[in-house]
Amino acid sequence: ESENLICSLKQLAEALQQAKHVVIYTGAGISTAASIPDYRGPNGVWTQLQKGRSVSASDLSRAEPTLTHMCIWMLHKVKMVQHVVSQNCDGLHLRSGLPRHALSELHGNMFIEVCDSCCPAREFIRLFDVTERTALHRHGTGRLCPQCRAQLRDTIVHFSERGTLEQPLNWKGAAEAAQQADLILCLGSSLKVLKKYSCLWCMNRPANKRPKLYIVNLQWTPKDNLATLKIHGKCDAVMGLLMEELGLGVPLYNRSQDPIFSLAKPLSPQEQKSHTREEITPPSDLEDASRDTQAQGEATAVQGGWFGRGYSKARRKKKT
């Protein structure tokens, strides 16, 4: 490790220890270690699609929280971090054990479908990606609310859409956290989308009254010049060293304690065939699952759902 990195980590650790209200903003870069590609990186979804390659969906349901997810969980547990605002739809923050009140998933969660005809909206957490039939402006998942029989919808916010669902987006929590924050740590986000949400940056205040900004990302971000400190690096590597610097252990993700198993609502017998996505299985079923997967053959290219969507739309806009 270079002198430079060690010096930066000391600075970040000190800032975290002194801050009173810390919010973490996360992007796709914290999930790449879970084999979920990011969007704009060299092997990102859009980078690949731009080159005319297809993107495979094999890893999405098999992904597990990364070292970074577990570090964030720990920092929240020891009260060093108050809130996490994520652009990721992969559900991994929830699966790391982070409590929902401390989490805003601004672009939705692939495991959650809701009935917005019920008041308040009724929520169903599933063990599979609920978005296979959904797309931009088309959110019906093909299942019905057991209470009112209305069509259930996903929670994904695509490009050019405005997300209005309270959960899992939790905009109220995100805006309140930003208002109180004295330190914002951005991990693995290009910030190209997040920068548009002005309430997350307290831009209505003079510069010296805004939260101090710390960024960990491999690429340039539009907020780099405003940051107190920018660390170029992979999230897992940087966070592992940061935890050492703070003297905190990093718990390993333990599948048998994944909260999704206790939160999930099972499908009714009629609904069993309503999806073809792979389900997350508790540890005792793991052996069977890996056998099934081998039988299914190799990964299929992803069709429908949140993954890789919004790409063509984003490109069309640019050209006009």
Side-chain angles (χ1 to χ4, degrees):
E1 289 124 46
S2 63
E3 295 286 298
N4 203 351
L5 178 61
I6 293 167
C7 182
S8 295
L9 283 161
K10 282 197 179 343
Q11 192 185 331
L12 175 55
E14 242 162 69
L16 283 170
Q17 284 164 324
Q18 286 163 13
K20 292 186 172 56
H21 202 98
V22 175
V23 187
I24 294 185
Y25 294 172
T26 67
I30 74 162
S31 294
T32 48
S35 324
I36 295 180
D38 58 13
Y39 290 97
R40 296 180 175 83
N43 300 312
V45 177
W46 292 328
T47 318
Q48 297 290 13
L49 290 172
Q50 233 158 357
K51 293 176 180 165
R53 300 184 186 147
S54 73
V55 183
S56 102
S58 62
D59 313 296
L60 300 184
S61 59
R62 272 186 258 166
E64 295 187 336
T66 63
L67 179 108
T68 297
H69 287 99
M70 299 316 295
C71 291
I72 293 171
W73 175 86
M74 188 65 169
L75 289 169
H76 176 264
K77 184 176 188 277
V78 301
K79 298 188 167 51
M80 214 174 257
V81 166
Q82 277 61 49
H83 200 84
V84 177
V85 177
S86 184
Q87 296 165 263
N88 300 341
C89 304
D90 54 34
L92 294 178
H93 281 301
L94 183 66
R95 296 182 56 196
S96 73
L98 201 63
R100 298 204 64 190
H101 63 81
L103 178 60
S104 297
E105 292 175 296
L106 298 185
H107 295 164
N109 182 320
M110 65 188 252
F111 296 108
I112 300 178
E113 50 188 354
V114 294
C115 173
D116 54 4
S117 301
C118 285
C119 191
R122 202 178 289 274
E123 184 181 86
F124 304 88
I125 296 179
R126 308 294 190 191
L127 294 175
F128 55 90
D129 176 0
V130 303
T131 71
E132 76 184 284
R133 297 179 186 183
T134 68
L136 183 71
H137 304 308
R138 226 181 49 225
H139 292 279
T141 61
R143 282 172 293 278
L144 303 177
C145 172
Q147 216 62 30
C148 74
R149 308 306 290 163
Q151 167 92 268
L152 294 180
R153 53 159 295 177
D154 71 6
T155 61
I156 305 298
V157 180
H158 294 278
F159 273 91
S160 79
E161 293 184 336
R162 288 194 86 81
T164 51
L165 291 169
E166 282 189 22
Q167 279 294 352
L169 313 185
N170 191 10
W171 265 107
K172 191 164 163 278
E176 281 172 9
Q179 281 304 311
Q180 295 178 54
D182 54 358
L183 189 157
I184 292 171
L185 172 58
C186 301
L187 297 173
S189 170
S190 70
L191 300 180
K192 290 191 173 102
V193 179
L194 282 188
K195 74 165 201 266
K196 296 180 177 145
Y197 302 135
S198 58
C199 70
L200 295 182
W201 308 100
C202 307
M203 294 313 273
N204 53 356
R205 299 186 204 161
N208 61 349
K209 295 274 195 292
R210 286 178 211 151
K212 293 255 189 300
L213 190 54
Y214 290 78
I215 298 174
V216 177
N217 202 44
L218 281 169
Q219 286 128 329
W220 172 90
T221 86
K223 292 279 182 188
D224 285 3
N225 59 341
L226 297 173
T228 304
L229 178 69
K230 163 80 187 276
I231 300 178
H232 285 274
K234 290 193 169 170
C235 294
D236 278 7
V238 172
M239 291 303 284
L241 293 166
L242 175 68
M243 298 298 272
E244 273 175 42
E245 191 61 48
L246 290 167
L248 292 170
V250 182
L252 289 172
Y253 165 74
N254 177 345
R255 191 156 189 164
S256 60
Q257 288 169 357
D258 190 324
I260 199 159
F261 296 117
S262 53
L263 294 169
K265 295 205 169 58
L267 294 176
S268 69
Q270 313 82 278
E271 291 174 322
Q272 290 301 339
K273 291 196 162 58
S274 64
H275 76 101
T276 64
R277 293 288 203 239
E278 202 177 317
E279 300 210 1
I280 307 174
T281 47
S284 55
D285 306 343
L286 287 183
E287 294 75 30
D288 312 338
S290 62
R291 261 189 241 113
D292 291 351
T293 323
Q294 281 156 4
Q296 282 167 17
E298 274 314 290
T300 45
V302 64
Q303 295 297 323
W306 63 278
F307 192 68
R309 287 285 179 164
Y311 162 79
S312 51
K313 190 166 175 64
R315 288 208 60 194
R316 272 205 301 279
K317 262 195 194 152
K318 275 206 175 96
K319 283 181 180 159
T320 50

